[in-house]
Amino acid sequence: MKTVYNYSVKDRKGVEVSLKEYKNEVLLIVNTATECGFTPQYTELEELYKKYRKEGFVVLDFPCNQFGGQAPGTDEAIHEFCKLNFGTDFPRFKKIKVNGDDAEPLYKFLKEEKGFAGWDEQHELTPILEKMLSEADPDYKSKSDIKWNFTKFLINKQGQVVKRFEPTTSCAVIAEEIEKLLAE
């Protein structure tokens, strides 16, 4: 069975990292951007990381500039921005593409495992995303592509993709799912 452990990615300095290094840990893999309406989620992600890291939880951050050019700058500039503005301490990797033929292989796998999970109808940005994406592609909901920045994939201790969360899902909901996996 294929898992995230079959993949290697580059850290922000370009060093190849096997995801096998995270065996037996619960992972939250997220594509991020520094100039997005969801950018304040860095704070919540860091809070999750601090709260659960001693129990074996890690956030893996993959900056991506594919959505409105909202992750400009070098890998190091993005890292410094996140440390300075949000105090993030979780692992950050090289900027990648998450959609298209040249998408990072890890992301191709993640999308094959879990398709679009739907928007939280209560979130203030849901109507904006819904309008923008449906105008560009009326059938967008049926496709597994990443729809926007801060889409998250929850990985169990065996490296399997168990859930996908769209950026409108609250971190409180995600925390409940993390706790379930840590207890297994």
Side-chain angles (χ1 to χ4, degrees):
M1 173 196 287
K2 213 173 192 184
T3 69
V4 297
Y5 305 142
N6 294 97
Y7 296 90
S8 290
V9 292
K10 289 191 168 142
D11 71 12
R12 72 179 195 279
K13 297 185 185 282
V15 176
E16 197 81 18
V17 176
S18 169
L19 292 183
K20 288 177 186 162
E21 287 186 24
Y22 298 101
K23 257 190 172 164
N24 300 314
E25 294 183 299
V26 172
L27 305 176
L28 190 66
I29 298 175
V30 56
N31 63 293
T32 61
T34 53
E35 296 180 6
C36 175
F38 293 107
T39 300
Q41 286 187 16
Y42 273 122
T43 299
E44 295 169 305
L45 291 169
E46 181 62 19
E47 287 169 0
L48 289 173
Y49 180 57
K50 280 182 179 166
K51 182 174 182 178
Y52 298 114
R53 73 177 167 195
K54 287 186 176 132
E55 296 174 54
F57 169 73
V58 183
V59 174
L60 302 182
D61 178 1
F62 290 89
C64 176
N65 200 36
Q66 282 187 289
F67 305 99
Q70 296 179 342
T74 65
D75 294 312
E76 201 53 40
I78 289 169
H79 180 69
E80 290 304 316
F81 172 88
C82 294
K83 297 260 318 160
L84 181 66
N85 293 288
F86 299 99
T88 59
D89 201 29
F90 46 78
R92 182 164 296 106
F93 296 85
K94 256 188 136 17
K95 193 186 308 186
I96 62 165
K97 290 188 177 174
V98 297
N99 289 332
D101 292 340
D102 55 351
E104 182 69 34
L106 169 65
Y107 265 82
K108 289 180 180 181
F109 168 70
L110 294 171
K111 294 183 301 183
E112 286 170 8
E113 294 295 298
K114 296 290 175 194
F116 179 61
W119 306 114
D120 174 353
E121 295 301 322
Q122 308 305 311
H123 196 283
E124 63 186 12
L125 294 178
T126 292
I128 296 164
L129 290 164
E130 176 70 36
K131 182 179 186 317
M132 179 181 60
L133 293 168
S134 61
E135 284 175 359
D137 178 4
D139 197 32
Y140 83 92
K141 289 182 181 179
S142 69
K143 298 175 180 151
S144 67
D145 280 354
I146 304 299
K147 308 304 180 208
W148 207 252
N149 306 306
F150 291 88
T151 298
K152 301 159 195 78
F153 291 89
L154 188 60
I155 314 300
N156 67 15
K157 294 176 186 177
Q158 294 75 44
Q160 300 161 321
V161 184
V162 294
K163 286 223 184 246
R164 173 174 168 165
F165 303 101
E166 302 308 325
T168 56
T169 302
S170 102
C171 279
V173 169
I174 298 169
E176 289 175 16
E177 297 298 325
I178 291 167
E179 288 175 8
K180 287 178 195 172
L181 291 181
L182 288 171
E184 289 180 355

